[in-house]
Structures are given as structure tokens and as C-alpha cells.
Amino acid sequence: AQSVTQLDSQVPVFEEAPVELRCNYSSSVSVYLFWYVQYPNQGLQLLLKYLSGSTLVKGINGFEAEFNKSQTSFHLRKPSVHISDTAEYFCAVEAGGTSYGKLTFGQGTILTVHP
Amino acid sequence: KAGVTQTPRYLIKTRGQQVTLSCSPISGHRSVSWYQQTPGQGLQFLFEYFSETQRNKGNFPGRFSGRQFSNSRSEMNVSTLELGDSALYLCASSLGQGRVDEQFFGPGTRLTVL
């Protein structure tokens, strides 16, 4: 079975500051990793994904994440945040194989960007 | 290309009733997954359908069921509603071609059980 831990439930930050949202996972098999963002009263939007290849993944809106297999982490970073980045962010894993279509999510991190 | 659509967007039901939610995937997508989102439990996987067959199921009671039609549209049904079933129900679609791929989410159906 897979599990995902998002280490911070809330992250406050000032506009134009850098931010890192932390995500650790556990799995007995190879996993595929995702970060999603959810704005109030909306569904989830994919920010970026790691399926294979380069461990540094670039996504939309200036976000990037690095897959670290030895530390079982997939932290999300942005060098300079904007007010519009205020939202809830979810890290998720999918194991593939017989678990196709089954995402396991972390508890979410609420990012609040202050002016 | 149209995104994932879910109907209805909002529902209010009373305990003991049943409810059916609908999800239309992106054209060409054959896999549909359903998730329940609550403040206490977060996002939890309900089940996944591919080509009208349930391939995966989460840890929910049998009151939660689903199906998929030949056009890949999917429905989920909850019978004998309980207060704890109040949640945002999200569906997501993907190509489902035997490999892990991005899931595209709909806006969700907000179910309130009174």
C-alpha cells in the first residue's frame, strides 16, 4: 500500500518570497508522483507530474519539484510566489500495475500568500 | 476540448435517501475514477472504471457503487445516505491505456445530507 505525508498543513508566505511545500511518500513498489492545486469551490488542477526520466520536473505557473528516491520525497518549490498562488496543494502517488487510476493523496497544504 | 463535467453541481438529500451522481469524461478517455473529499478524511479513492469494468475499489461500504457506460460516462450511486456522506465528490478521467497517466478532474458535486 502507498501513503503520502504532507509535512505542513499550512504555509504562510509573503508575496515574491520563495516557497517549498514538502511531501514524503512510502511505497513497496515504484510510484508515479503528482502535485495538484485546488482553488476554493473547484476541482483539482495538475501542477506537475513525475512519471520517469529527469528527477527535476517543471510544471505550470512557475512551480517545480524534485523526485528524491533515496529520501522518498517530492517537494514542490516556487522561487517567487504571487497572491494568486493562494490555494490548497495536494501531493499524490499512483502505483501503477493493478492500481491504475487510483491516486493516494496527502492531507493537503494550504498556501496563503500575504501582500 | 471540453473538460470533465459533473452533474449536478449541488445536491441536498436527507438521511436514508439514495443519490446518483454523473460524470462525463474528456472525449477519448476511457478511465474514470471517483474520489470523496471531506475536511476530516481528505481525498479518498472510491473506485475506478475502464471499459465498463471496475478495476479498482477503495475502502468504502457497499452502499457506494458505480458503473460505466459504453460511451465512458460514469455514474456513482450512494444508497441509504448517512450524515457522514456529506462531501465533495470528484470524478477524474484519463486515457487509461494500461499505463499511469494524468487524471483530469471535474469541478465536483457537493452533496449535503440533512
Side-chain angles (χ1 to χ4, degrees):
Chain A
Q2 296 75 44
S3 67
V4 179
T5 302
Q6 291 184 239
L7 297 160
D8 306 292
S9 59
Q10 296 191 57
V11 173
V13 65
F14 286 107
E15 195 173 17
E16 297 184 7
V19 71
E20 178 180 80
L21 306 184
R22 298 180 293 168
C23 172
N24 284 94
Y25 68 92
S26 67
S27 175
S28 57
V29 298
S30 296
V31 293
Y32 306 86
L33 297 152
F34 305 82
W35 274 100
Y36 283 88
V37 61
Q38 186 177 36
Y39 300 99
N41 299 315
Q42 294 188 27
L44 302 175
Q45 180 184 9
L46 182 73
L47 281 176
L48 47 80
K49 60 187 176 185
Y50 173 78
L51 302 182
S52 65
S54 172
T55 56
L56 182 61
V57 180
K58 294 191 183 297
I60 63 170
N61 300 340
F63 284 94
E64 65 179 32
E66 185 155 19
F67 170 55
N68 188 319
K69 189 174 182 179
S70 62
Q71 297 187 11
T72 60
S73 67
F74 191 55
H75 301 332
L76 180 71
R77 301 184 181 98
K78 186 170 182 178
S80 176
V81 295
H82 191 266
I83 296 286
S84 60
D85 292 323
T86 294
E88 189 161 17
Y89 293 78
F90 293 93
C91 180
V93 304
E94 184 173 337
T98 57
S99 297
Y100 286 131
K102 177 182 177 180
L103 285 169
T104 300
F105 287 91
Q107 286 296 103
T109 298
I110 297 173
L111 174 65
T112 304
V113 181
H114 298 284
Chain B
K1 189 183 263 192
V4 177
T5 58
Q6 292 187 245
T7 56
R9 292 292 311 277
Y10 301 91
L11 264 180
I12 300 176
K13 293 286 187 179
T14 56
R15 279 182 300 173
Q17 288 187 309
Q18 74 165 16
V19 67
T20 299
L21 313 182
S22 180
C23 173
S24 293
I26 291 171
S27 177
H29 285 191
R30 295 170 63 191
S31 170
V32 174
S33 299
W34 288 88
Y35 298 86
Q36 181 196 65
Q37 185 176 24
T38 60
Q41 298 299 316
L43 280 154
Q44 293 185 289
F45 172 78
L46 280 156
F47 29 66
E48 186 258 359
Y49 286 87
F50 176 77
S51 291
E52 303 179 66
T53 300
Q54 187 183 88
R55 291 196 297 189
N56 279 297
K57 189 177 190 305
N59 295 324
F60 279 82
R63 300 186 297 107
F64 291 82
S65 63
R67 60 177 176 168
Q68 187 180 35
F69 301 95
S70 58
N71 62 358
S72 294
R73 190 177 70 85
S74 178
E75 289 181 346
M76 69 162 281
N77 184 79
V78 188
S79 63
T80 319
L81 284 165
E82 301 178 359
L83 294 178
D85 297 333
S86 293
L88 181 67
Y89 290 89
L90 294 163
C91 83
S93 75
S94 65
L95 290 169
Q97 301 278 5
R99 60 183 177 90
V100 175
D101 205 349
E102 173 185 353
Q103 292 187 30
F104 293 81
F105 282 80
T109 294
R110 173 77 61 185
L111 172 64
T112 302
V113 182
L114 302 176

